Amino acid sequence: PLNGIIASSPFLGLAMKVPSVQKIMANFSSRFFPRLALYPRIKEDELTHDEAVVESTVRDPFYLRIARARWFTETLQAQKETMEQAKSFKFPLLMQQAGDDRIVDKEVAREFFEKIGSTDAKRIEYSDYFHEIYNETPERRDRAFSDLKVWLDEHQSSQTT
């Protein structure tokens, strides 16, 4: 059985606003050219404050820098359905949210959290963190991992009793 879910800056909405014309083009492309490459405006230095991680990401040949049209439209649909079904979410949840996230919309994540049906849910927002909270600078990452460990310890003990 699933004992709980840990969500780190969940992608329930985009932080950057996509112009309507781009959404229309993406819908058209998704239908007729689903593999069409889109180039999101994600900057590696907005993922984390840790410069070594940023440099590693920049040099990583496997780091995906494109999104496909179909992926984009399916993601938007999944996000919409997730919000519509939030009340049916009943699992224990730890949501750790970057407070200065420039990739995902933290307000949408907060809205989801407020709508869920779980009676065992905790949301922690880290005010000056970028998107990848576990890849932040050591002192920031230590806090995120410490909070994670506390939640895991609490939920491990409740599963064994």
Side-chain angles (χ1 to χ4, degrees), residues 94 122 145-156:
L94 171 63
K122 183 174 188 175
F145 277 119
S146 176
D147 291 340
L148 171 62
K149 182 183 182 316
V150 166
W151 190 87
L152 286 170
D153 287 347
E154 288 171 356
H155 287 78
Q156 177 62 34

Side-chain angles (χ1 to χ4, degrees), residues 27-154:
N27 283 322
F28 174 83
S29 299
S30 176
R31 184 168 181 173
F32 298 104
F33 309 101
R35 295 191 44 77
L36 179 72
L38 307 173
Y39 297 89
R41 301 176 308 246
I42 295 175
K43 299 174 187 158
E44 289 88 350
D45 64 352
E46 292 181 342
L47 297 172
T48 173
H49 289 89
D50 190 321
E51 291 181 25
V53 174
V54 171
E55 287 304 314
S56 177
T57 302
V58 168
R59 289 190 314 271
D60 185 348
F62 298 108
Y63 181 80
L64 292 177
R65 290 170 174 80
I66 64 167
R68 302 286 179 194
R70 178 66 51 85
W71 175 88
F72 178 73
T73 57
E74 292 297 317
T75 297
L76 293 180
Q77 183 62 32
Q79 290 169 334
K80 179 181 175 219
E81 290 172 10
T82 298
M83 290 301 288
E84 289 170 351
Q85 298 175 24
K87 190 71 177 159
S88 65
F89 184 95
K90 308 269 190 211
F91 299 102
L93 171 67
L94 171 63
M95 182 183 288
Q96 293 177 285
Q97 182 69 55
D100 193 11
D101 202 326
R102 297 166 188 192
I103 311 301
V104 304
D105 188 336
K106 70 178 183 178
E107 296 308 320
V108 175
R110 181 190 326 260
E111 181 183 340
F112 173 81
F113 184 83
E114 290 171 357
K115 289 181 176 183
I116 63 173
S118 176
T119 58
D120 181 3
K122 183 174 188 175
R123 182 177 182 277
I124 305 170
E125 185 172 313
Y126 303 93
S127 63
D128 60 343
Y129 289 39
F130 284 166
H131 180 67
E132 294 185 356
I133 64 170
Y134 300 134
N135 281 331
E136 269 289 5
T137 56
E139 66 282 355
R140 287 182 174 112
R141 139 177 15 133
D142 286 349
R143 178 173 170 222
F145 277 119
S146 176
D147 291 340
L148 171 62
K149 182 183 182 316
V150 166
W151 190 87
L152 286 170
D153 287 347
E154 288 171 356

